[in-house]
Amino acid sequence: MRVLLFLKSVVVLLALMSLLGCAASPVRHGPPSDSDIASLERMILALGPGVSAEEAERAARVAFQHTRELAVSYQITSSPLWHNTQVNLGIKERGLCWHWAEDMEERLLAERLETLEIHRAIANAFNPLRIEHSTAAISRKGDGLEHGIVLDPWRLGGTLTFVPVLDDPDYTWEERERVLAKKRRRSAGRLAVPG
């Protein structure tokens, strides 16, 4: 009886989710506009002295182009949360926020930028009321994440969001390695056997 009730619940959930997915307007992944690329380029140049103008232009162009390539590769056709559901159900292979962050980081690192640095960041890792979110960010070489620019292709479903890390209205970012270290400490604390 419980199995039958569970299966009915799953069927209803899938039906509702498919209706929500169909209601979403299709996502279009056209080429980035020159003005968007120029805007990000100016933000990267404004990170401070020593940032190469050529690298700022290249990083901006690559970030926008790679966002578009990933959107096509991940088959983004709906909202980020609906796409996450499809990935988590095994319908689609990739497209969770950490996939976007990992792939963006890898692509920008392949550029071998000398005056810029790529970071990984996580928000909401310890907030039970919000889903954890990952992104890539770019800063001037030697500067920390907090001085950088978020490069987030996930939150708008394949459209690059770029905003200074400390001015992001939606997320409070922490270095990925710091968050993972906190998680390891918390996990180790739970696994410790009382003496």
Side-chain angles (χ1 to χ4, degrees):
M1 183 67 163
R2 285 185 181 183
V3 171
L4 186 58
L5 184 58
F6 173 76
L7 289 175
K8 283 183 180 178
S9 298
V10 168
V11 168
V12 168
L13 179 63
L14 289 174
L16 284 172
M17 289 171 26
S18 72
L19 287 174
L20 289 172
C22 292
S25 60
V27 178
R28 292 179 181 33
H29 306 289
S33 75
D34 290 340
S35 65
D36 285 338
I37 294 171
S39 183
L40 178 55
E41 178 185 351
R42 283 190 301 276
M43 283 180 72
I44 294 171
L45 276 171
L47 289 171
V51 173
S52 158
E54 183 277 328
E55 285 190 358
E57 186 279 328
R58 185 165 29 118
R61 184 175 26 80
V62 165
F64 272 100
Q65 288 175 345
H66 199 54
T67 294
R68 181 176 183 227
E69 292 163 1
L70 291 174
V72 171
S73 171
Y74 295 164
Q75 302 171 354
I76 303 296
T77 58
S78 58
S79 74
L81 292 177
W82 173 241
H83 190 84
N84 278 15
T85 302
Q86 292 175 310
V87 172
N88 289 326
L89 290 173
I91 297 167
K92 294 196 177 178
E93 284 186 41
R94 289 181 69 79
L96 301 177
C97 63
W98 69 267
H99 294 140
W100 290 95
E102 179 178 77
D103 291 344
M104 182 65 75
E105 176 190 37
E106 183 179 304
R107 179 62 186 89
L108 286 167
L109 288 174
E111 290 297 310
R112 300 194 186 287
L113 302 166
E114 294 180 12
T115 65
L116 297 166
E117 192 169 332
I118 309 305
H119 305 267
R120 287 281 298 279
I122 296 176
N124 304 323
F126 305 103
N127 183 343
L129 302 178
R130 298 201 54 200
I131 65 167
E132 185 173 302
H133 184 34
S134 295
T135 196
I138 192 166
S139 73
R140 182 175 62 164
K141 189 80 161 184
D143 285 351
L145 170 70
E146 64 276 5
H147 299 289
I149 300 165
V150 169
L151 301 174
D152 184 1
W154 176 86
R155 83 174 77 172
L156 295 177
T159 299
L160 185 66
T161 297
F162 55 99
V163 60
V165 169
L166 295 179
D167 295 338
D168 193 329
D170 298 320
Y171 298 99
T172 301
W173 297 102
E174 289 186 71
E175 284 278 358
R176 178 176 180 258
E177 287 308 315
R178 255 187 247 148
V179 171
L180 295 178
K182 285 182 193 176
K183 286 183 175 189
R184 285 190 293 273
R185 285 192 301 274
R186 285 182 178 202
S187 180
R190 281 194 296 270
L191 298 175
V193 178

